[in-house]
Amino acid sequence: MTFGRNFGKKCLTLHQIVKKAYFSIMKEQDFVTIADLSKEEIMYLLEMAKEFELHPNREILKGRVVATLFFEPSTRTRLSFETAANRLGARVIGFSDAKVTSATKGETLKDTILMVSNYADVIVMRHHIEGAAQYASEIAPVPIVNAGDGAHMHPSQCLLDLYSIYKTQGTLDNLNIYLVGDLKYGRTVHSLITAMRHFNPTFHFVAPKELAMPDEYKTYCKDHGITFEEHTDFNEEVIKDADILYMTRVQKERFSDLMEYERVKNVYILKRDMLCKAKDNMRILHPLPRVNEIAYDVDDDPHAYYIQQAGNGLFAREAIFCHTLGITLEDVRNDKTII
Amino acid sequence: MSKKERIVAAIENGTVIDHIPAEKTYEVANLLKISEIDTPVTIGSNYISKKLGKKGIIKVEDKYFSDAEISQLSVVAHRVVLNIIHDYEVVEKKTVTLPDRLLGIVKCNNPKCITNNEPMSTYFTVVDKLSPHPELRCRYCDKVQDIDKVELCK
């Protein structure tokens, strides 16, 4: 099964045509966005992640070299990608700080990507500039995996969120999903809305007015027949019907009015007593890092799932590596390299 | 051909650009680098127009514009008409329509977009191009911008 979504609707340069032809033979592809994946494609990747959860340690990528180029700092995402590569037998090169690279000497992204393409079979990149991964995918002869491009996209986080929801609920269909906190700037909640459009969700947006869900995403919901409700209160009554409670951090630097921040900063903190009416199947997700938006006593509650969620990132990213390198779900199921 | 049209198109050979929104007349002239043309040029503005209220007209003798030059026009004045004149006759009317994509013509107004941080071309898709106010979506950062507020690439 090949997806090939990155070449559908654009004018191609000669280089891109060559890359497309090569990718179609080798079944390799970029993983830059999750926004235009079909329902079947999402389920395919989740099934692959499930296989990796059963057997995370293999040598299916033995002999391959993965480059992780982190122009912007990250803890979880980088470690999880590097662990995924290591557990599949690949070797990893890269950097975790752009300050140690030639980018500080003024090297363009294009030159860095083309140079690294000489060494690696796949490039995982995080960059603070929006659209950097899309551009890299257009110039690199090897697959590009977007590990976050500024406030724009973070598709591997979205895939692990979907996997966490699928795993805990047994389905992605017809769920009540509550998004709490910073809904204005939080790219993870925006990606989740677009990825969930295939699954008939009901969303509840719980946020202060300053950080409310932007109109463009509410319009998106209406255009795609997604039901949603908005709340400014956050208490046990509001969340009692939730299947998924997706928490995000209300960041002080997002407020133009600090008085407003002081007023709302404690309103969107999840405390254990707020879970008294929660459904048994409800699970609390958070993209992490958490600062104070989930009280520490919630960690011991059976609804808490955010640490396991981060663990699911490993399986999702193992699936992403194989998918980008042309290894199919069937190959993974028939893999003889399991350790 | 009516007398009115003959007056507008009274050049022997060349191009008459008609139906320019009056306030865009000089922007169109700049885009087409009219000041660098050494054949006779007439720029008229604030003519009464049934469609536009007021319109501008630019007549350029012995000059025909390439498709690339014309597609740039579509960004600032997406309803203009180019009359191609041979021997005092309008032999072709070219309507400037917005293409589906704009490559390297318009700047992205998001300073954090890769196109403003790398030596590369911009790429926009036109959203709802039949609307009176079409919008442009950046292929890289996905930000949508109003076509009437765009800045052209230098």
Side-chain angles (χ1 to χ4, degrees), chain A residues 33-183:
Chain A
T33 173
I34 204 164
D36 48 4
L37 288 188
S38 69
K39 183 174 182 172
E40 291 70 30
E41 288 165 344
I42 288 172
M43 295 312 297
Y44 176 87
L45 288 171
L46 297 184
E47 286 303 320
M48 203 189 271
K50 204 167 151 186
E51 294 295 325
F52 285 115
E53 180 161 11
L54 288 174
H55 302 288
N57 299 321
R58 305 164 182 244
E59 291 192 323
I60 198 166
L61 296 186
K62 191 174 180 185
R64 310 270 195 151
V65 175
V66 168
T68 54
L69 310 187
F70 279 68
F71 295 87
E72 187 184 56
S74 152
T75 312
R76 255 163 309 281
T77 306
R78 184 173 61 83
L79 288 179
S80 149
F81 268 117
E82 291 185 356
T83 307
N86 280 309
R87 286 193 181 274
L88 295 180
R91 277 169 292 181
V92 179
I93 59 168
F95 54 81
S96 56
D97 184 351
K99 288 194 192 86
V100 300
T101 72
S102 292
T104 54
K105 298 176 191 167
E107 185 175 60
T108 60
L109 176 64
K110 180 180 179 180
D111 286 0
T112 307
I113 293 294
L114 290 178
M115 183 268 297
V116 175
S117 298
N118 289 322
Y119 308 143
D121 299 299
V122 55
I123 295 175
V124 180
M125 62 177 283
R126 166 168 286 194
H127 206 288
H128 58 283
I129 294 294
E130 296 169 24
Q134 173 63 39
Y135 175 58
S137 76
E138 291 171 9
I139 54 173
V142 299
I144 295 289
V145 176
N146 185 3
D149 57 338
H152 184 222
M153 298 271 186
H154 193 0
S156 66
Q157 175 71 43
C158 189
L159 191 66
L160 81 88
D161 290 344
L162 292 175
Y163 185 62
S164 299
I165 296 171
Y166 183 55
K167 193 172 143 184
T168 59
Q169 306 300 314
T171 178
L172 290 179
D173 292 304
N174 310 315
L175 297 172
N176 285 328
I177 300 178
Y178 286 59
L179 307 176
V180 184
D182 178 0
L183 307 187

Side-chain angles (χ1 to χ4, degrees), chain B residues 40-59:
Chain B
V41 171
T42 311
I43 300 177
S45 192
N46 294 329
Y47 288 102
I48 301 299
S49 159
K50 279 181 193 162
K51 278 187 195 164
L52 299 169
K54 286 183 174 179
K55 69 172 183 178
I57 297 176
I58 299 173
K59 293 191 281 182

Side-chain angles (χ1 to χ4, degrees), chain A residues 298-313:
Chain A
V298 177
D299 295 1
D300 302 323
D301 190 278
H303 295 98
Y305 194 73
Y306 28 92
I307 302 297
Q308 297 95 314
Q309 176 191 3
N312 290 334

Side-chain angles (χ1 to χ4, degrees), chain A residues 6 9-11 16 107-110 128-132 134-135 138 149 152-153, chain B residues 101 103 110-115 117-120 123 125 137 139-143:
Chain A
N6 281 317
K9 301 170 190 166
K10 64 183 181 186
C11 296
Q16 289 165 299
E107 185 175 60
T108 60
L109 176 64
K110 180 180 179 180
H128 58 283
I129 294 294
E130 296 169 24
Q134 173 63 39
Y135 175 58
E138 291 171 9
D149 57 338
H152 184 222
M153 298 271 186
Chain B
R101 295 178 275 258
L103 278 88
N110 173 11
K112 290 183 179 166
C113 176
I114 185 73
T115 59
N117 292 275
E118 277 275 309
M120 63 183 285
Y123 186 121
T125 47
R137 180 185 293 276
R139 162 177 184 72
Y140 296 96
C141 71
D142 283 314
K143 290 277 186 299

